[in-house]
């Protein structure tokens, strides 16, 4: 609930300091050592390094691209520079995370993350990776349907990711 308050403040044109501080706390958890095999990843749960889940990067970055697309100009110039390194590290971890198209919810989250982070970073290669995944998803879905659609938990994740994909796709065309 606290994170919602920080970001809701951006909607109401409040100073971005609260949202910046919240994002700094998230970024502080990220592995920023470029020589680490976990570079760009975040822990699944704070203070529990024994819990390892490669999907953590997808869930962590899911709101980050849209936040920077919608509110990036509101953040201080220093924070935008600081955050860029974390967004790029997140992209590195997302690219490294191998996800089969049949793992629908995580595949769609990864795809959405690449599109929104690519747009937020103004990085055509990141957006191209997301677009290639979208093409793969469409081909697979036409042939075999959506693997996890019947799940009550995964359906909401998939619909949210599809909304982000649609918004990011429309943004690119404008």
């Amino acid at each position: 609930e606290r994170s919602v308050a920080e970001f809701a403040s951006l909607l109401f044109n409040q100073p971005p300091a609260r949202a910046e501080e919240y994002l700094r706390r998230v970024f502080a958890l990220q592995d920023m050592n470029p020589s680490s095999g976990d570079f760009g990843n975040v822990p699944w749960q704070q203070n529990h390094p024994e819990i390892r889940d490669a999907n953590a990067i997808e869930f962590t970055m899911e709101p980050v691209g849209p936040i920077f697309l919608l509110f990036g100009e509101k953040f201080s110039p220093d924070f935008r520079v600081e955050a860029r390194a974390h967004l790029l590290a997140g992209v590195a971890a997302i690219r490294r995370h191998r996800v089969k198209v049949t793992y629908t919810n995580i595949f769609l989250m990864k795809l959405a993350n690449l599109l929104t982070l690519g747009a937020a970073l103004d990085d055509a290669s990141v957006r191209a990776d997301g677009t290639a995944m979208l093409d793969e998803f469409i081909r697979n879905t036409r042939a075999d349907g959506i693997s996890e659609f019947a799940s009550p938990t995964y359906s909401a994740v998939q619909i949210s990711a599809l909304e982000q994909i649609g918004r990011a796709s429309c943004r690119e065309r404008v």
Side-chain angles (χ1 to χ4, degrees), residues 25-26 29-30 41-57 59-60:
R25 283 185 272 158
V26 172
L29 301 172
Q30 192 175 28
N41 281 335
V42 293
W44 185 255
Q45 185 176 349
Q46 188 174 6
N47 301 320
H48 287 278
E50 74 280 6
I51 303 172
R52 299 186 58 85
D53 189 325
N55 297 337
I57 192 63
F59 283 98
T60 300

Side-chain angles (χ1 to χ4, degrees), residues 29 122 148:
L29 301 172
D122 194 25
E148 296 175 323

